[in-house]
Amino acid sequence: MFMFLFLVVALVVVVGAVVLAVVGGGESGALPEVPPEHLHDPLPLDRPVHRADVETLRFPLAVRGYRMADVDDALGRLGAELAERDARIADLESALAGARAARLASLEKPGEEDHR
């Protein structure tokens, strides 16, 4: 009997707290609808991505972690930037190798003419 009375009192307290929270919810009444979180600091589109851009990049949380579309977009952009930089580095290295070969060839030619 005592346990039943305790449960009834606890139920009344919980129901009373819920009613007070709903009815006396403050001046504004019901809470406003919150828009879903989206990526607030996307990677810059007008310039190459710098290290600081990647370090400050934060993804909003979703129900099961991060929003896959935001992460996929960021990783795709970073992959494209890295591929572009790798291609540019390869072009510069081949141009440098060609310039070194031309310089070595120009240094060897005067030496050959002096020996004749």
Side-chain angles (χ1 to χ4, degrees):
M1 180 68 181
F2 178 73
M3 185 61 118
F4 177 73
L5 183 61
F6 176 75
L7 289 176
V8 169
V9 170
L11 181 66
V12 168
V13 169
V14 169
V15 169
V18 170
V19 168
L20 284 176
V22 171
V23 173
E27 298 172 9
S28 63
L31 294 175
E33 288 293 321
V34 177
E37 268 190 89
H38 292 291
L39 192 59
H40 294 290
D41 49 352
L43 298 173
L45 299 175
D46 58 341
R47 63 174 171 79
V49 176
H50 299 295
R51 180 179 178 162
D53 297 326
V54 176
E55 288 175 351
T56 60
L57 184 63
R58 298 292 178 261
F59 297 103
L61 292 177
V63 176
R64 292 186 170 193
Y66 296 107
R67 295 174 52 102
M68 286 190 291
D70 290 340
V71 175
D72 289 344
D73 291 344
L75 290 177
R77 172 75 191 277
L78 290 173
E81 291 268 343
L82 289 173
E84 183 179 320
R85 288 181 187 178
D86 288 346
R88 178 75 175 140
I89 289 170
D91 290 344
L92 291 173
E93 285 178 344
S94 70
L96 181 62
R100 283 182 180 162
R103 183 172 181 221
L104 286 176
S106 69
L107 291 176
E108 289 177 0
K109 286 183 182 178
E112 291 175 2
E113 293 174 358
D114 291 340
H115 293 291
R116 289 185 186 175

